Coordinates of all heavy atoms in Angstrom, one line a residue:
V1 N 91.4 136.6 76.7 CA 90.9 135.8 75.7 C 91.7 134.5 75.3 O 91.2 133.4 75.1 CB 90.5 136.6 74.4 CG1 90.1 135.7 73.2 CG2 89.4 137.6 74.6
E2 N 93.0 134.8 75.3 CA 93.8 133.7 75.0 C 93.8 132.6 76.1 O 93.9 131.4 75.9 CB 95.5 134.2 75.0 CG 95.6 135.2 73.9 CD 96.2 134.5 72.5 OE1 96.6 133.3 72.6 OE2 96.2 135.3 71.7
G3 N 93.7 133.1 77.3 CA 93.6 132.1 78.5 C 92.3 131.5 78.4 O 92.2 130.2 78.7
L4 N 91.2 132.1 78.1 CA 90.0 131.5 78.0 C 90.0 130.3 77.0 O 89.5 129.2 77.1 CB 88.8 132.5 77.6 CG 88.3 133.3 78.8 CD1 87.4 134.5 78.2 CD2 87.4 132.4 79.7
T5 N 90.6 130.6 75.8 CA 90.8 129.7 74.6 C 91.4 128.5 75.1 O 90.8 127.4 74.8 CB 91.5 130.4 73.5 OG1 90.8 131.6 73.0 CG2 91.6 129.4 72.3
K6 N 92.5 128.6 75.8 CA 93.2 127.3 76.2 C 92.4 126.6 77.2 O 92.4 125.3 77.1 CB 94.5 127.8 76.8 CG 95.6 128.5 75.7 CD 96.7 128.9 76.4 CE 97.7 129.6 75.5 NZ 98.9 130.2 76.1
S7 N 91.9 127.2 78.1 CA 91.2 126.5 79.2 C 90.0 125.9 78.8 O 89.8 124.6 79.1 CB 90.7 127.5 80.4 OG 91.9 128.1 81.0
V8 N 89.2 126.5 78.0 CA 88.0 125.9 77.4 C 88.2 124.8 76.5 O 87.5 123.8 76.4 CB 87.0 127.0 76.8 CG1 85.8 126.3 76.3 CG2 86.6 128.0 77.8
A9 N 89.5 124.9 75.7 CA 89.8 123.8 74.9 C 90.1 122.7 75.5 O 89.7 121.4 75.2 CB 90.9 124.3 73.8
L10 N 90.8 122.7 76.6 CA 91.3 121.6 77.4 C 90.0 121.0 78.1 O 90.0 119.7 78.2 CB 92.1 122.0 78.5 CG 93.7 122.3 78.1 CD1 94.4 123.0 79.3 CD2 94.3 121.1 77.7
E11 N 89.0 121.7 78.7 CA 87.7 121.2 79.2 C 87.0 120.3 78.3 O 86.3 119.5 78.7 CB 87.0 122.3 79.8 CG 87.6 123.0 81.0 CD 86.6 124.2 81.5 OE1 85.4 124.1 81.1 OE2 87.2 125.0 82.2
N12 N 87.1 120.7 77.0 CA 86.1 120.1 76.0 C 86.7 119.4 74.8 O 86.0 118.8 74.1 CB 85.3 121.3 75.4 CG 84.3 122.0 76.5 OD1 83.3 121.5 76.8 ND2 84.8 123.1 77.1
A13 N 87.9 119.0 74.9 CA 88.6 118.3 73.9 C 87.9 116.9 73.8 O 87.6 116.4 72.8 CB 90.1 118.1 74.0
E14 N 87.7 116.3 75.0 CA 87.0 114.9 74.9 C 85.6 114.9 74.6 O 84.9 113.7 74.3 CB 87.2 114.3 76.3 CG 86.4 115.0 77.5 CD 86.6 114.3 78.9 OE1 86.5 113.1 79.0 OE2 87.0 115.1 79.7
H15 N 85.0 116.0 74.5 CA 83.6 116.2 74.1 C 83.4 116.5 72.6 O 82.4 116.7 72.0 CB 82.9 117.2 74.9 CG 82.8 116.9 76.3 ND1 81.9 115.9 76.9 CD2 83.6 117.5 77.4 CE1 82.1 115.9 78.2 NE2 83.1 116.8 78.6
G16 N 84.7 116.5 71.8 CA 84.6 116.7 70.4 C 84.5 118.2 70.0 O 84.1 118.5 68.9
I17 N 84.8 119.1 71.0 CA 84.7 120.5 70.8 C 86.0 121.1 70.6 O 86.9 121.0 71.6 CB 83.7 121.3 71.9 CG1 82.5 120.6 72.0 CG2 83.8 122.7 71.6 CD1 81.7 121.1 73.2
R18 N 86.2 121.7 69.5 CA 87.6 122.6 69.3 C 87.5 124.0 69.6 O 86.4 124.5 69.2 CB 88.1 122.4 68.0 CG 88.4 120.9 67.7 CD 89.0 120.6 66.3 NE 88.1 121.1 65.2 CZ 88.4 122.2 64.4 NH1 89.4 123.0 64.8 NH2 87.5 122.6 63.5
V19 N 88.4 124.5 70.2 CA 88.3 125.9 70.6 C 89.7 126.7 70.2 O 90.7 126.2 70.7 CB 88.0 126.2 72.1 CG1 87.8 127.7 72.4 CG2 86.9 125.3 72.6
N20 N 89.7 127.7 69.3 CA 90.9 128.2 68.9 C 90.7 129.7 69.0 O 89.6 130.3 69.2 CB 91.3 127.8 67.6 CG 91.7 126.4 67.6 OD1 92.9 126.0 68.0 ND2 91.0 125.6 67.1
C21 N 91.8 130.5 68.7 CA 91.7 132.0 68.5 C 92.6 132.4 67.3 O 93.3 131.6 66.8 CB 92.0 132.7 69.7 SG 93.8 132.6 70.2
V22 N 92.3 133.5 66.8 CA 93.0 134.2 65.8 C 93.5 135.6 66.3 O 92.9 136.2 67.2 CB 92.2 134.5 64.4 CG1 91.8 133.2 63.9 CG2 90.9 135.3 64.7
R23 N 94.8 135.9 65.8 CA 95.4 137.0 66.3 C 95.6 138.1 65.1 O 96.7 138.1 64.5 CB 96.7 136.7 67.0 CG 96.6 135.7 68.0 CD 98.0 135.4 68.6 NE 97.8 134.3 69.6 CZ 98.3 133.1 69.4 NH1 99.1 132.8 68.3 NH2 98.1 132.1 70.4
P24 N 94.7 138.8 64.7 CA 94.9 139.8 63.7 C 95.8 140.9 64.2 O 95.9 141.4 65.3 CB 93.5 140.4 63.3 CG 92.6 139.4 64.0 CD 93.3 138.9 65.2
A25 N 96.6 141.6 63.2 CA 97.1 142.9 63.4 C 96.1 143.9 63.0 O 94.9 143.6 63.0 CB 98.4 142.9 62.5
V26 N 96.5 145.0 62.6 CA 95.5 146.1 62.3 C 94.8 145.7 61.0 O 95.3 145.2 60.0 CB 96.3 147.5 61.9 CG1 95.3 148.4 61.2 CG2 96.9 148.0 63.1

């Protein structure tokens, strides 16, 4: 999921789309 987040963010930054993730503990 972390890899998907980074890749899709890079692909879509110029299109005005932001992609992030959150990392919860328990």
Side-chain angles (χ1 to χ4, degrees):
V1 168
E2 299 264 349
L4 279 170
T5 299
K6 293 175 184 177
S7 294
V8 179
L10 286 169
E11 286 180 18
N12 292 281
E14 64 181 308
H15 299 285
I17 301 169
R18 298 186 298 106
V19 187
N20 291 288
C21 66
V22 292
R23 304 182 186 109
V26 173

